[in-house]
Amino acid sequence: MSPADDRVLRAAQYLRMSTENQKYSLENQAAAIATYAAEHCYQIVETFADPGRSGLKITNRPGLQALLAATLNPSRAFDAILVLDVSRWGRFQDADEAAHYEYLCRAAGVHVEYCGEGFDNDGGFVATIAKNLKRAMAAEFSRELSAKVARAQKQQAMLGYWQGGPAPYGFRRVLLDRTGAPKCIMALHEMKAMRGERVVIRPGPGEEIAVVRDIFRLYGSRRKAASQVAAHLNARGILWRDGEVWNGGRVRSVLHNELAVGIMVWNRSDQLMRRGRRKRPPSEVVRVRIFPPVVPVRLFNAAKRRLVQRAYCAKKSDAELLDGLRALLGRVGRLTTDIIRDDPLTASDNTYCKRFGSIRAAYEKIGYDRQPAWRVGDGVRFTDEQVLEGVQSLHRRHGYVSASMIAAEPTMPGIHSIYQHFGSLKRLYWLAGLRGNGRRAQIMGSRRGLQAYRERAAVSAAKGPSSGPAADGP
């Protein structure tokens, strides 16, 4: 080895590129670092990169995290880290954070050198002052850029242009050219390619708009729960966006969307500077009417009132929920899931099921003894004995019972109604006298199991609201 080779040091290079400028492409950074390495006798042995990553936080930069982990490893393969400039190391909003990561490297015996800066990487007074100034400038650049982008987005939103994100169900994004003429309907994950183009949102196919109207009708007029609306759509074979099935959350996303009445809303919340999401003041929210309503305004307002009331009730304590149920019982004289859904002052039946395990358990907490017959739709009523005997009949015919078997049995209520009434299939099997699981289950008789359940419920009611039959069975 020649004397010159003895002076060659091993180095790792760190590359980071966001989307701000082509001059910071990974290739350009690597070329500049290679020139610096050749001039200062470094041999680049490892590369760590964060392509398309913001420099505001370390949490979304796996390349920098891997670099720091390798640096703190005593068996590392390099003695120095080469970075193009201070901003590539990071635009941390706290300049001390950038200095902290550099100090970790230096304390481990690895020094960080910036290849494109005007100061020397000698750790002297001038270099220290220059680096701190550069770190503050990098942070300020991000703050100014974020403010400029936010102002531009607000201006474009006020003109009716769509500001990013996929189109909600029932609507489509339309790409406009520089003159404002429509070019094409954009696919789900497609993005515009040219700077002068704009995107607007428009109503989608007629069959999807009909589904949107059905959702508002079922929820706002028919007083169906969001989960019931989802089950109704899935039963009809209607799929959500991108071929997925519906659920309660996706139904509520349609109900909350003001595009149903032709209003585009922007700036409800933000995540500026990679901070946590926060709500914006009402005065800063942009609302622009961009097309006529596709859902009657009266129906939209009815659904919105119900959503707001349900959200308020869902935040109540258990004691407040039970007080509301008692008040409803006092006004109406009886309780059913339909009565609970129709009352605007009471939380939804799903809320009671989530809090107390089942609607039956909530009834027991307030000491309400329901009538044995319960309605599941279209006026059809079942008694507990009929359902339990139906479960036993299925078991006798097949040797076991499953949810799909119950759903396919025409003489049984639907699975959703069973969950609402009994709380779970496990509780249903227990009441029906099924012991064990699957084919090993044994029948003990529905009337005996039901009678035992009612006796335990009576004892629990006598002891007080803190105890319940759930502790005596599944």
Side-chain angles (χ1 to χ4, degrees):
M1 182 179 292
S2 65
D5 292 334
D6 292 337
R7 298 172 45 243
V8 174
L9 297 175
R10 300 170 302 167
Q13 63 176 347
Y14 175 69
L15 314 173
R16 182 187 68 81
M17 179 188 68
S18 60
T19 57
E20 54 198 42
N21 200 310
Q22 183 63 28
K23 73 177 182 179
Y24 288 122
S25 69
L26 300 187
E27 293 78 9
N28 290 343
Q29 293 179 55
I33 292 174
T35 301
Y36 180 92
E39 293 174 352
H40 294 80
C41 299
Y42 282 111
Q43 178 187 2
I44 298 176
V45 295
E46 286 194 58
T47 298
F48 299 86
D50 281 318
R53 297 290 182 172
S54 168
L56 294 175
K57 290 182 177 292
I58 194 174
T59 53
N60 65 332
R61 295 165 65 184
L64 182 58
Q65 295 176 26
L67 172 62
L68 294 176
T71 301
L72 299 178
N73 187 348
S75 60
R76 60 182 174 271
F78 51 87
D79 306 300
I81 299 173
L82 304 183
V83 190
L84 177 62
D85 57 32
V86 171
S87 67
R88 296 306 92 197
W89 186 251
R91 298 186 184 276
F92 302 100
Q93 294 306 289
D94 187 345
D96 290 340
E97 184 176 359
H100 168 70
Y101 298 136
E102 184 175 335
Y103 170 77
L104 291 178
C105 299
R106 189 166 61 249
V110 178
H111 55 282
V112 180
E113 297 193 16
Y114 301 100
C115 307
E117 297 290 3
F119 54 81
D120 294 329
N121 292 286
D122 56 2
F125 177 76
V126 175
T128 300
I129 295 297
K131 277 194 289 188
N132 286 333
L133 181 60
K134 290 276 188 175
R135 288 167 184 151
M137 292 171 59
E140 183 62 24
F141 173 83
S142 291
R143 285 192 289 268
E144 292 181 353
L145 181 62
S146 178
K148 289 179 182 178
V149 170
R151 287 195 297 269
Q153 286 182 326
K154 184 175 182 179
Q155 180 183 14
Q156 294 298 310
M158 293 176 67
L159 295 175
Y161 296 121
W162 187 250
Q163 297 304 300
Y169 180 86
F171 300 91
R172 295 292 187 271
R173 296 178 301 154
V174 178
L175 182 65
L176 307 180
D177 61 18
R178 295 175 182 272
T179 65
K183 290 182 62 177
C184 64
I185 296 177
M186 303 177 69
L188 183 59
H189 300 292
E190 190 175 5
M191 301 176 64
K192 66 178 185 178
M194 301 183 66
R195 186 180 296 272
E197 296 176 335
R198 296 290 182 265
V199 178
V200 294
I201 199 80
R202 293 292 181 263
E207 57 271 19
E208 289 192 13
I209 295 299
V211 172
V212 172
R213 294 192 183 109
D214 282 344
I215 291 174
F216 278 93
R217 177 179 55 82
L218 292 171
Y219 186 86
S221 295
R222 299 281 298 277
R223 314 293 291 181
K224 297 291 185 181
S227 58
Q228 290 181 307
V229 177
H232 173 77
L233 297 176
N234 292 331
R236 291 170 54 190
I238 298 173
L239 297 177
W240 188 64
R241 189 177 59 205
D242 207 17
E244 299 182 16
V245 297
W246 289 87
N247 57 35
R250 289 165 180 169
V251 169
R252 283 187 288 272
S253 70
V254 173
L255 295 169
H256 280 290
N257 195 344
E258 295 186 33
L259 286 175
V261 288
I263 296 176
M264 185 185 71
V265 182
W266 182 80
N267 207 31
R268 263 202 195 99
S269 62
D270 66 50
Q271 286 181 296
L272 295 178
M273 308 303 296
R274 302 286 176 175
R275 294 175 299 199
R277 184 170 293 278
R278 62 175 185 176
K279 288 187 176 181
R280 304 292 297 177
S283 59
E284 297 183 14
V285 178
V286 177
R287 281 184 166 84
V288 182
R289 181 172 294 282
I290 53 177
F291 48 75
V294 298
V295 172
V297 176
R298 173 190 57 79
L299 192 58
F300 178 85
N301 290 336
K304 185 176 181 179
R305 285 194 299 270
R306 190 177 177 206
L307 286 169
V308 171
Q309 184 63 35
R310 292 305 190 201
Y312 169 75
C313 291
K315 297 179 181 178
K316 292 182 177 180
S317 65
D318 290 357
E320 290 174 327
L321 289 177
L322 294 176
D323 288 342
L325 206 57
R326 291 190 188 96
L328 179 61
L329 177 61
R331 294 196 304 270
V332 180
R334 65 190 183 96
L335 294 175
T336 66
T337 54
D338 287 341
I339 291 175
I340 294 173
R341 292 191 196 112
D342 291 339
D343 186 67
L345 303 178
T346 309
S348 67
D349 55 318
N350 285 334
T351 299
Y352 284 100
C353 289
K354 291 177 181 178
R355 292 288 188 92
F356 304 104
S358 68
I359 198 69
R360 172 196 289 266
Y363 290 162
E364 291 167 356
K365 292 287 186 182
I366 65 172
Y368 175 57
D369 185 15
R370 300 180 308 115
Q371 296 296 321
W374 41 285
R375 185 162 64 89
V376 298
D378 297 330
V380 179
R381 290 182 176 272
F382 287 89
T383 64
D384 293 352
E385 287 85 353
Q386 287 174 332
V387 176
L388 298 177
E389 289 173 358
V391 171
Q392 289 184 338
S393 176
L394 287 172
H395 188 276
R396 283 193 295 269
R397 295 202 306 266
H398 303 282
Y400 68 99
V401 183
S402 67
S404 58
M405 291 167 57
I406 295 175
E409 179 61 38
T411 61
M412 293 282 288
I415 290 295
H416 179 78
S417 298
I418 287 177
Y419 273 109
Q420 292 283 351
H421 187 76
F422 292 101
S424 67
L425 289 179
K426 188 176 182 180
R427 173 66 67 81
L428 173 66
Y429 296 156
W430 178 75
L431 292 177
L434 298 178
R435 295 295 184 264
N437 296 314
R439 300 181 185 274
R440 296 190 301 274
Q442 300 294 322
I443 295 292
M444 293 184 62
S446 62
R447 294 187 182 278
R448 189 176 1 159
L450 182 60
Q451 181 62 27
Y453 176 81
R454 286 177 172 168
E455 290 175 357
R456 290 185 177 90
V459 172
S460 300
K463 290 181 179 179
S466 60
S467 60
D472 299 311

